[in-house]
Every structure is written in C-alpha cells, then in structure tokens.
C-alpha cells in the first residue's frame, strides 16, 4: 500500500489548549487539532518488535488520550493550511500519575519515556537521599529505568561523594557526577540523553536548566505548571517536551514528586527497591512487610550490611504513606 505522501509523522511536544504542538520528523514544528477518537495504527506495532525486553509488541499500551511524547500521524485539513491528528502509534512506555480510585483515574504525563533522570546537587542545596529514593520508586512504579545525576560536583570532595552515593550504582542506577560550571561529566551525560526521551526531574535549584543549556545550548522551557504553583493541587500538572538539537527530548516534569505515588498499591512497593528482590522470597511470612517481623530476610540483609539501612527506612516511610492514602480511597 503506497503511503499517503501528505501524511507526516511527529512527536507531541505540548498541549496548548485546543491544539497540540507537534515536532514533525522533518524538523518543522506545527500545530494540529484532534478530531474524534484516537485511531491506533496497529500495523506500526511491528516497529517495536525485537527491541529488547519491555518493548515487545505485547507490552505496548493503547492510548485513549493524547499525551506529550506520543508519536502521531498528522495530515492536512481539507481546507486551509492547518493540520489534523489522524492516528497515534502504540506507546512503548509512559510516566503515569495515578489518582484515587485506581486505574480509572490514571493520567499519562509523558508517553514513550525511555528513562528518568533524577538530578540533585552535590551541595547547595544539600542532596536528600529520602527524596531521591522517592523519585526512584516513581520510576520503578512506571517500569522505567532511572539514572542519577549529581550536579555541582565541583563543590564537594569526590571520594566523599562516591562513598555517599556509590551504593546506588551497585543496585543498578547509573551515577553521573557533573558540573555545569566546570563542564565536568557533560560529555557522558550528553551521550545518554541523545536520541531518547528523558524525564528530567529533581528539586529546583540543582542545575537542571543549567545542565541542558550547557549541553545543548537550549533553554529548558519551564513546565506549564511550576512545582511551586503545583504544590498542594492535584489537578493541573503539565509536562513539556524540549527537543534536543541532535535528536532526543527532555521532558520537564516538575510536579512528579508531589503526585507520583498517590494511589499506588502499597503491596507493590517492596518490588520497587531492586536490591530487596533477592531476599523477598526468603522471609518467614509470605505477607511480610519487612518492618518488624521475625525472620524477615530484608531486615537480616540490612544487619549483614547487604542492604543499606537508610533504604529500608525510605521504604518504611513510603509504605506508611501509601497505606494511609489507601485508607482514604
Ligand atoms: P534548576 O532549578 O534545577 O533548573 O537549577 P538552575 O539551572 O536554575 O541552577 C540553579 C543555580 O545553580 C544557578 O544559580 C546556577 O548558576 C547554579 N548552578 C548550576 N549548575 C551549577 C554547577 O555545576 N556548579 C555550581 N557551583 N553552580 C551551579
Ligand atoms: Zn521481610
């Protein structure tokens, strides 16, 4: 079947109310409207095959609502020079925000995310492992790989930084020491951002915008809702994709921390600390919560120095939060 020459493929960058801003594959940015229901292009599923684990055709999601990061087919409107979204490709992943009531209220913040990049500063502001753990759990809960960037690394002694954060590397989170100021570690960071959709997150003031600017000379456009504005509200979280000049996108997800775990099943949390996994089946009780239970293999692993104690503390804090929110709904 010959492709319709007028059809174009693009990536959704932003919702601007009634229209969507789309970066077409040829590099042009245009506005398009969505009419009627989203048509999923089943025949495009083949593209995702043989791309490794997590990207099998079976794991693809069928989007019902358009989100930033979606790959869409656009075609010219019959009259005028405007564009219409005529189809959408299946998603291979998404960063979701759940709402009270479970799946029904789920909302996709960014579609087709390849990785979550959590940025902290080595100092000023002082990094906070408990907050870091929260971001990592959000990534795990969405089935997304995460990496950690410690920016402003020129401010702190390197071996102290490695002693403090090296553990995360050993449990599977690649660690980057960067400085937007001295440009240290920037080449390596650029390599892992190129050609992918990265959800960039972390507290404000750690240098996220400075890093993207130093790397690519582009300004990270601040999300439709800043985290300060968003705090305490659960209705308006806007994500925005910034295209990188050499391919790939950075999604600014300022509200991630506030909304990330709301409605997440507490029983799943133990699986979102990857280093707990080898011990989970060894606990004496099948429904062990790894808090105070006798014969808990996770607690034993902490005592043997195989699992960092503070990680179990983060787990306990998050578990209490999730259990409280489960009671609410
Ligand atoms: P964002 O809120 O995470 O986007 O942080 P910004 O990029 O706005 O940076 C916050 C402040 O940190 C600014 O004053 C930057 O100049 C400063 N900054 C950013 N990166 C570095 C760095 O690598 N070293 C130092 N010393 N300061 C930095
Ligand atoms: Zn246990």
């Amino acid at each position: 079947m010959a492709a319709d020459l007028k059809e174009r493929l693009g990536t959704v960058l932003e919702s601007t109310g009634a229209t969507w801003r789309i970066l077409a594959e040829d590099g042009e940015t245009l506005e398009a409207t969505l009419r009627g229901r989203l048509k999923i292009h089943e025949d495009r599923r083949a593209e995702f095959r043989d791309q490794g684990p997590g990207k099998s055709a079976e794991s693809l999601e069928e989007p019902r609502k358009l989100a930033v990061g979606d790959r869409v087919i656009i075609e010219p409107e019959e009259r005028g020079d405007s564009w219409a979204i005529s189809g959408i490709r299946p998603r291979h992943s998404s960063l979701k925000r759940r709402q009270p009531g479970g799946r029904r209220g789920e909302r996709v913040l960014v579609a087709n995310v390849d990785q979550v990049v959590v940025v902290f500063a080595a100092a000023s502001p002082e990094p906070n492992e408990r907050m870091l753990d929260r971001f990592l759990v959000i990534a795990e809960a969405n089935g997304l790989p995460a990496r950690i960037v410690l920016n402003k690394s020129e401010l702190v002694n390197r071996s102290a930084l490695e002693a403090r954060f090296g553990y995360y590397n050993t449990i599977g989170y690649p660690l980057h020491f960067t400085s937007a100021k001295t440009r240290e570690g920037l080449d390596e960071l650029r390599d892992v951002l190129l050609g992918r959709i990265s959800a960039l997150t972390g507290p404000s003031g750690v240098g996220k915008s400075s890093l993207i600017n130093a790397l690519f000379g582009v300004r990270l456009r601040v999300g439709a809702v800043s985290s300060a504005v968003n705090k305490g509200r659960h209705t308006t979280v806007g994500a925005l994709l910034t295209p990188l000049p050499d391919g790939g996108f950075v999604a600014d997800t300022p509200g991630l921390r506030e909304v990330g775990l709301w409605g997440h099943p507490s029983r799943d949390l133990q699986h979102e600390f990857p280093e707990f996994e080898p011990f989970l089946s060894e606990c004496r009780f099948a429904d062990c919560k790894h808090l105070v239970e006798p014969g808990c293999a996770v607690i034993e692993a902490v005592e043997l120095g195989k699992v960092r104690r503070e990680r179990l503390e983060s787990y306990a804090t998050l578990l209490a939060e999730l259990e409280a929110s489960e009671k609410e709904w």
Side-chain angles (χ1 to χ4, degrees), residues 151-152 154-155 179-181 203-210:
N151 188 43
K152 309 196 188 184
E154 91 282 359
L155 297 177
S179 169
K181 200 171 171 182
S204 65
V206 298
K208 296 182 294 297
S209 332
S210 307

Side-chain angles (χ1 to χ4, degrees), residues 81-92:
D81 52 2
S82 56
W83 293 84
I85 297 165
S86 63
I88 183 169
R89 291 187 169 189
R91 290 176 185 147
H92 68 75

